[in-house]
Amino acid sequence: CKILVTTRRTSVAKRIGTVNKVEVNGLDETEFWLLFKAWAFNGYENLELDPFFQSTGKDIARELKGNPLAARSVGALMNRSVSFEHWRKVQYKWKSLVGQDDDILSILMISYEYLPVHLQHCFSYCSLFPKDHKFNGKKLVHAWISQNFVKCECHTERLEETGMQYLDNLVDWGFFEEVESHYVMHDLMHDLAEKVSSNECAAIDGLESNKISPSVRHLSIITTAYDKDGPRSFPTKNFENKLQNIRSLQKLRTLMFFGRRNTILLRSLQTLCKELKRLRLLRIYVTVSDISSIHNFLKPHHLRYLEFIVVPATNMFGHMDIANTSIPQAFTNFFHLQVLDVSSNGNIAVPIGMNKLINLRHLIAHEKVHSAIDSVGKLTCLQKLIFKVQDADSFEIGQLRAMNDLVILGISQLENVKTKKEARSARLMDKEHLKELSLSWNDNMSSGPTEENTRYDVLEGLEPHGNLKHLQLTGYSGATSPTWFASKVTSLQVLHLENCTEWRIVQYLEMLPLLRKLKLIRMWNLVEVSIPSYLEELVLVNMPKLENCVGTYGIELTSRIRVLMVKDCPQLNEFVLFHRDHFHAEQKSWFPSLNKLMIGHCYRIM
């Protein structure tokens, strides 16, 4: 076995090295120039040969010492405005900064200096997170909003949309990197964030003796290094001493914890937390039983973001114990709260009066918590809701009438809605921000002619706004689609129909030009479906009567398909994707984009 250690410190290499260190130098000047100009002239390749831009660019590139991260960061800075004035201004600023220090952070500082002030605040705030942290984009934006870093220039924009634009800008300019479903920050960028935020932000990472400025407003406590050790090895007293020495607690606006062992520290922090009169954001690890008592040491006046990371307790037999608990009644007085994250595997009961949190924008919790809030329609700022229609006061579908900020909405137990007028009282057509809509009926209900007509009328009354992008219908027993199905929701990108038992033909999908994903599951009486030619994902599962899958065949249909799943469709005879006039042995690639294929129990097309 061999162990390879990388470090940016010569002292570390000397201390642990068993062989001579190998220094990794920067890129060759020629290769580096190719990388730098790819960022600097992206979209402006015609200016690449201009003497001024080429000379100025090469002068700056030489100062970057072949560092690829610097090429990306500084190159993106130059690309923001490929104009004589901008490049000359950056060049003068560059000489004043780099002349002071030959360190890479000074090189990266030039990009930070040119960030707009609001993006500087957002970037420096990220120094609170541990290195190598995988950022959830939405949660990061919510944290920025809680600190008033995000400002909308247009009154029709949502703060969350503007915040995501901020994050996209930081990605474009090299401060973040998007990896699959999360974001990461390079170690050097994290060092830069720490450097520029030292007066505002501080992190207690382990027991390192970092001096914390009295002006600090945002603090994080990082104990992830102790997560793998037993509780007894956690240096509680040492952390208590460090916290006692912080003199700026009354000024704190952010307090974040990282590391499961912080649950041990929680009880000793209670007296200190009572001093946090201006706290806006608290992210803390708790056991389920802790949730019921945390309000005792929190001030409700300014708190906007409250996140519990629930750590299961271990019972006497060594098993993880998920207990039942309830959201304390006192939390209903936190009127300024915008984000409440109580996601947990346990059963969390909802107190009476949750509808008083009128500024709540995001409730991250089990759907049982959503459906238990009476008169939820008072939470008009809420952007995601799982709503269960009930035959009880304060739970009727009309509660949704004024909730026009909703982005994601799921409505279940629609069998409790009896008329088209009642369905229209939800006013879904007024919800212009609504992007994802799920409608479901209890499939155990009877489905006679009267019931089918009722469900058709109800679905007609649930016409959504034309901006809708994702629609799922489950348990709908009507025999035909509503009139708005293809003619009104023309922005639809995803369509998911499941257990719609009486639907015989799915057609007019070619009227949805943006449709990319189509899922049809357990459509027992479906005989024919029309496939549009621009699909990327097609799922057909458990449809015993399906015979025809028709549409325009050819390369325009098969070239985009990435996911193809056809299962348990024994009568399927005509399948447009395998049309004999197109699908033949001489063709080299039928599905060039395909990365997932599953076909089973479809005997007539095999």
Side-chain angles (χ1 to χ4, degrees):
C1 295
K2 294 183 180 180
I3 298 176
L4 177 65
V5 178
T6 60
T7 178
R8 288 186 280 118
R9 297 183 180 181
T10 303
S11 59
V12 173
K14 288 180 178 178
R15 189 179 307 125
I16 66 173
T18 57
V19 296
N20 293 333
K21 67 179 186 293
V22 177
E23 293 191 9
V24 180
N25 298 314
L27 294 176
D28 170 82
E29 185 175 329
T30 303
E31 296 297 325
F32 186 79
W33 169 243
L34 294 175
L35 178 62
F36 177 81
K37 72 177 184 179
W39 282 96
F41 293 106
N42 183 28
Y44 303 95
E45 286 78 5
N46 57 318
L47 293 177
E48 187 179 320
L49 299 178
D50 182 279
F52 167 76
F53 290 112
Q54 188 175 77
S55 174
T56 305
K58 284 188 174 182
D59 283 346
I60 292 176
R62 275 191 292 270
E63 298 293 337
L64 298 181
K65 314 300 181 187
N67 188 294
L69 180 62
R72 178 184 176 186
S73 175
V74 179
L77 167 63
M78 309 307 290
N79 183 257
R80 284 185 222 175
S81 175
V82 182
S83 64
F84 177 87
E85 293 79 7
H86 176 69
W87 280 49
R88 180 66 74 191
K89 185 178 179 181
V90 171
Q91 190 179 31
Y92 287 143
K93 182 77 171 179
W94 175 264
K95 289 180 179 178
S96 66
L97 280 174
V98 177
Q100 300 170 5
D101 191 351
D102 199 26
D103 185 74
I104 181 63
L105 289 185
S106 296
I107 294 174
L108 296 178
M109 180 68 80
I110 186 71
S111 296
Y112 173 80
E113 290 283 337
Y114 274 88
L115 279 179
V117 173
H118 61 275
L119 291 186
Q120 287 184 350
H121 290 156
C122 292
F123 170 71
S124 62
Y125 189 78
C126 296
S127 66
L128 295 171
F129 296 82
K131 285 189 175 181
D132 300 323
H133 182 75
K134 294 181 178 180
F135 290 87
N136 178 305
K138 290 182 180 179
K139 286 191 174 184
L140 180 58
V141 168
H142 297 166
W144 290 342
I145 292 173
S146 75
Q147 306 301 322
N148 283 344
F149 293 160
V150 180
K151 305 291 184 183
C152 289
E153 297 181 1
C154 177
H155 71 279
T156 59
E157 284 186 347
R158 294 168 46 247
L159 286 170
E160 288 76 10
E161 291 177 334
T162 303
M164 286 306 297
Q165 290 173 9
Y166 287 6
L167 185 54
D168 289 342
N169 287 338
L170 289 172
V171 171
D172 290 342
W173 296 339
F175 292 89
F176 276 96
E177 185 178 352
E178 188 173 3
V179 180
E180 297 178 348
S181 60
H182 60 270
Y183 298 81
V184 294
M185 180 183 285
H186 192 282
D187 278 1
L188 287 170
M189 284 299 179
H190 193 279
D191 290 346
L192 177 63
E194 288 180 342
K195 182 175 181 178
V196 300
S197 67
S198 58
N199 291 328
E200 288 281 326
C201 304
I204 299 176
D205 192 348
L207 295 176
E208 293 181 8
S209 55
N210 298 329
K211 188 175 181 181
I212 297 177
S213 169
S215 61
V216 159
R217 298 292 184 274
H218 312 286
L219 176 69
S220 65
I221 300 169
I222 304 171
T223 63
T224 49
Y226 301 95
D227 280 353
K228 295 179 181 179
D229 302 326
R232 293 182 181 178
S233 65
F234 184 75
T236 308
K237 269 197 172 182
N238 292 331
F239 273 100
E240 286 178 353
N241 293 335
K242 289 181 74 69
L243 292 169
Q244 291 286 353
N245 293 329
I246 300 172
R247 299 178 180 177
S248 56
L249 279 175
Q250 291 188 356
K251 302 175 183 178
L252 281 184
R253 296 187 176 185
T254 300
L255 180 58
M256 293 187 183
F257 292 86
F258 296 93
R260 293 175 177 271
R261 295 303 172 204
N262 278 310
T263 55
I264 303 171
L265 198 59
L266 177 63
R267 289 164 181 78
S268 61
L269 283 171
Q270 293 188 10
T271 54
L272 294 175
C273 285
K274 289 180 180 179
E275 299 180 33
L276 304 180
K277 298 178 180 178
R278 302 180 185 178
L279 194 66
R280 291 187 172 202
L281 183 150
L282 176 63
R283 180 188 191 271
I284 197 164
Y285 287 77
V286 295
T287 62
V288 174
S289 57
D290 290 327
I291 294 177
S292 60
S293 61
I294 282 182
H295 67 279
N296 291 326
F297 58 92
L298 291 178
K299 305 292 184 183
H301 311 301
H302 299 287
L303 199 63
R304 278 140 168 88
Y305 186 119
L306 181 57
E307 179 179 359
F308 298 128
I309 300 95
V310 181
V311 179
T314 304
N315 60 29
M316 60 184 295
F317 302 105
H319 299 123
M320 293 298 182
D321 187 22
I322 301 296
N324 296 332
T325 189
S326 60
I327 298 174
Q329 187 74 38
F331 278 153
T332 63
N333 296 322
F334 286 49
F335 300 118
H336 296 290
L337 203 60
Q338 297 174 348
V339 178
L340 177 58
D341 188 341
V342 288
S343 51
S344 166
N345 293 325
N347 293 319
I348 298 181
V350 176
I352 297 172
M354 277 285 285
N355 55 46
K356 292 194 293 183
L357 301 178
I358 56 174
N359 290 299
L360 196 64
R361 305 171 72 87
H362 306 281
L363 175 58
I364 304 169
H366 192 278
E367 62 182 55
K368 290 181 180 178
V369 175
H370 287 237
S371 59
I373 302 174
D374 65 311
S375 299
V376 72
K378 295 180 181 179
L379 305 181
T380 53
C381 294
L382 209 59
Q383 296 182 26
K384 179 180 178 180
L385 178 65
I386 309 300
F387 185 77
K388 187 181 293 184
V389 183
Q390 302 176 46
D391 289 327
D393 292 340
S394 304
F395 291 97
E396 67 278 2
I397 197 168
Q399 287 290 328
L400 304 175
R401 182 182 295 107
M403 302 184 73
N404 290 335
D405 283 350
L406 285 169
V407 178
I408 300 174
L409 174 62
I411 310 176
S412 62
Q413 294 187 178
L414 278 166
E415 64 276 4
N416 291 323
V417 181
K418 303 302 181 184
T419 65
K420 184 176 182 179
K421 181 179 179 181
E422 189 181 352
R424 278 184 171 171
S425 69
R427 302 300 301 174
L428 297 190
M429 64 180 65
D430 294 341
K431 304 185 190 327
E432 60 179 315
H433 301 299
L434 190 64
K435 298 294 185 289
E436 297 183 23
L437 175 63
S438 173
L439 305 174
S440 67
W441 287 257
N442 189 334
D443 58 5
N444 293 324
M445 300 295 292
S446 60
S447 57
T450 303
E451 181 67 26
E452 288 179 21
N453 292 335
T454 298
R455 293 192 178 187
Y456 175 81
D457 289 341
V458 168
L459 188 55
E460 274 288 319
L462 293 173
E463 179 182 342
H465 192 278
N467 290 342
L468 191 72
K469 289 181 168 52
H470 185 145
L471 174 63
Q472 178 172 342
L473 302 181
T474 305
Y476 169 64
S477 61
T480 55
S481 61
T483 56
W484 52 261
F485 179 63
S487 60
K488 300 288 183 67
V489 287
T490 53
S491 297
L492 208 62
Q493 297 176 5
V494 179
L495 176 61
H496 182 162
L497 305 178
E498 185 167 346
N499 198 25
C500 298
T501 53
E502 302 303 318
W503 216 326
R504 293 181 58 81
I505 299 177
V506 175
Q507 54 187 346
Y508 306 127
L509 297 185
E510 64 277 2
M511 297 174 65
L512 302 174
L514 301 179
L515 191 67
R516 296 296 178 262
K517 297 181 181 181
L518 177 62
K519 296 182 180 182
L520 306 177
I521 300 172
R522 291 190 294 143
M523 305 281 283
W524 305 120
N525 286 298
L526 191 69
V527 176
E528 181 174 300
V529 56
S530 176
I531 303 295
S533 59
Y534 26 77
L535 284 183
E536 296 176 0
E537 185 172 322
L538 176 62
V539 176
L540 306 172
V541 175
N542 213 341
M543 292 184 286
K545 296 184 180 180
L546 181 64
E547 297 178 1
N548 302 318
C549 183
V550 299
T552 304
Y553 64 88
I555 192 65
E556 63 178 8
L557 173 61
T558 60
S559 63
R560 295 188 177 95
I561 289 284
R562 294 184 294 103
V563 176
L564 177 58
M565 182 184 299
V566 187
K567 291 176 61 181
D568 299 315
C569 301
Q571 300 301 315
L572 184 58
N573 183 43
E574 182 180 356
F575 191 40
V576 64
L577 288 172
F578 297 160
H579 196 283
R580 61 180 177 273
D581 291 341
H582 170 69
F583 191 82
H584 50 79
E586 287 77 16
Q587 187 168 326
K588 293 182 179 179
S589 178
W590 298 303
F591 301 99
S593 304
L594 195 66
N595 55 42
K596 183 176 182 180
L597 172 65
M598 184 179 294
I599 300 177
H601 298 99
C602 302
Y603 310 108
R604 300 190 178 190
I605 64 169
M606 293 296 288

